[in-house]
Amino acid sequence: MAEKTYAGVTVNMDDEGYMTDASQWTKEVAAEIAKEDGLDLTDKHFDVLEFIREKVSSGATLTIRAIGKSGHTDIKGFYKLFPGAPLKKATKFAGVPKPSSCV
Amino acid sequence: MKKLVILGAGTGGTIMANKMRKELARDEWDITIIDKYKTHYYQPGFLFIPFGMYKKRDVIKPKADFIPYGVELIYADIDKVDGENNKVLLQDGVVLNYDYLIIATGTKIVPEETPGLKGELWRKNIFDYYTIEGSSALADFFKTWEGGDLVLNIAENPIKCPVAPLEFVMFADAFFVERGMRDKVNIHYVTPMSGAFTKPRASKVLGGLLKEKNINIIPDFYIEKVDNENKKIVSYDEKEVPFDCLVTIPVHMGDSMIGRSGLGDDMDFALTDKFTLQSDKFDNIFIIGDAANLPTSKAGSVVHFSAEIVFENMMCSIEGRPYTAKFDGHSNCYIETGFGKGALIDFNYDTEPLPGFFPFPGIGPFGLLKETRMNHYGKLLFRWIYWHILLKGKEMPISAHMTMAGKKTHDI
C-alpha cells in the first residue's frame, strides 16, 4: 500500500501500482499513470477506460472478450491501444483492481 | 401443492434434488428436475482418459440412478425461464410452474468461438479433453503419436477446473517419460494468464513444478485463431506458436437458456449474488455451480460447498426467516502432478491457496500446496466418494466454509 501523487491528486495504490480507491480517479491521473508506462492516452483510450470503470462498478467480471463486444473497440484494437497485456494495463489506468481473471 | 423445479441434473442439480427431497414434505412439495441428457459424467475423470488411466465406462452412469424416489425427472430441452410469472418453458411446449427454481445448468465448451479451432484438424491434431468424445479421441491419438510439439492452450477464462490444464501437462510429461519418448515431445503450456495459475503463491509453486518437468510456459497469450494449414495458433497481438498436437481448453459459456431468459451476463453465466447464491433478478431463483457468474472456481468442490448454502438459504426463504448462510467462495482442488503424486489447494474469495496440512492442522493426511503420494490417493478415492456420498447430498467431514487452521501464511 502506497500513496502517490498524480496530477496534484494523492491516490492510494497497491504494490503492483493499481489504485485501491476508484473515486480518486480522474482523467488527468490516468494520463499520468499511463505516461509512466510510456503510453499517451487518446480519446479512444478513454472510451475504453470509461467502459471498464462502468463495468467494474456494476460488479461484472471483466474479460477481454467483454471489451471486444463493448462497441468501443474490438479485441485486436484493444491490443493496439494497450500493447502487450491490454487488460492489465487498461485496468491499471482505469483505476480499478487488477482483474483476477477468475480462479 | 408447492413446486420446486431444478434445471440441470448434473452435480449441483442432483445434490440439491437429494437434499431438498429429504427436507421438504412429500404431501406439500412436488420436486421436478429437468435435463436434456440421460448420462451423468464424472467430469474429473475426463483428465485421466487421454493417458489410458480411465476408460469411458469408468466415468459414466445413468442420471436416473442418482435422482431420489419422489422427484420427477424429465428429459427435455429448456426454452427459457419466465421469472416474472414463475414459469419454465420447455422447447416441446410444456410449461412448468414453480414456487422456487434452482438453476444448475453448468457450463459447456464453445470451440466455435475461436476461428479455425473446429477446422480440418479438429479431432485429427486438435483435441479437447473436456468432453468424453474429445478425451477418447485424444487417447486414440496418443497411442500412435510419434512426438513433436504438444501445445496446451487455454482460450479464455473462466474454465471448468482451472487446475486441470496443469494436471494435463504434468500427466503428459509422466506419460511420455514412461513410454520412453519424452525427448521427442516438447510440451508447451500456453495461457492468457501471466503465469501458471491465477493466485500468486500457487502460481509460483506450480510454475516451479512445470519448470522442473521441462514444460515450457508461454504466458499472456490470448488466442485469436488457429491456422490449420500451417499448424499454429495465433494470438491477438500476432504471436504464433506452432503445434503438432494442439490440446485446447476452448471458451466456456453458460447455457444459452440463461441468456434467453435474461438472467445472465454476456457469456450466459447467471448473474448471482456471491454470498446468498440467489439470482440477482428474482428472489425465488437460486443458482448453483458452474452456471453462476461467481468469482470463484468452476469446480465440483465449489458446487458441493455451495449446495449447503443454497439449501440453508432456500429453507430460510421458504420459512420466511432472514438468510443465515453466506458463501465464502470455498474451493478445494486436488492437483495430479504425475508419477503417482499430487498436490492439494484450498482457498476462497479472499484467501489464496497457502501451504500447510488438510483437513487436520499439522497432521493432514493431505499436504497443501506440495506434492505428496497421499494427495494422489485422495484424488483417486474421490471418484468413489463422488458417486456414493457427494451426489446423494450426504454429509462429508469438510466444512462448507474455508478454515485457516493448518494453513501457513508466511512466505514460502
Side-chain angles (χ1 to χ4, degrees), chain A:
Chain A
M1 199 70 168
E3 277 189 3
K4 284 184 91 172
T5 305
Y6 291 99
V9 183
T10 306
V11 300
N12 299 323
M13 289 186 142
D14 66 13
D15 299 339
E16 292 179 291
Y18 286 80
M19 288 173 61
T20 52
D21 181 355
S23 70
Q24 294 169 336
W25 187 87
T26 65
K27 278 185 154 189
E28 291 72 29
V29 168
E32 286 206 8
I33 296 176
K35 203 160 258 166
E36 274 190 349
D37 275 15
L39 197 67
D40 283 320
L41 297 186
T42 64
D43 287 350
K44 191 89 197 151
H45 289 100
F46 279 113
D47 284 349
V48 176
L49 296 187
E50 297 278 6
F51 171 77
I52 288 173
R53 287 178 60 80
E54 250 169 57
K55 197 94 180 151
V56 169
S57 73
S58 76
T61 334
L62 203 56
T63 61
I64 288 185
R65 193 161 296 267
I67 291 165
K69 286 179 182 168
S70 67
H72 298 291
T73 179
D74 57 12
I75 298 176
K76 247 193 147 87
F78 186 41
Y79 267 89
K80 293 236 162 71
L81 286 171
F82 304 93
L87 197 58
K88 271 181 266 173
K89 284 189 182 174
T91 46
K92 191 171 165 187
F93 306 155
V96 300
K98 185 179 175 180
S100 59
S101 71
C102 210
V103 262

Side-chain angles (χ1 to χ4, degrees), chain B residues 29-49:
Chain B
W29 284 87
D30 280 335
I31 302 180
T32 305
I33 188 164
I34 301 164
D35 201 292
K36 56 183 154 186
Y37 301 117
K38 291 190 172 165
T39 303
H40 191 115
Y41 292 100
Y42 174 60
Q43 297 186 61
F46 289 172
L47 168 72
F48 296 79
I49 290 178

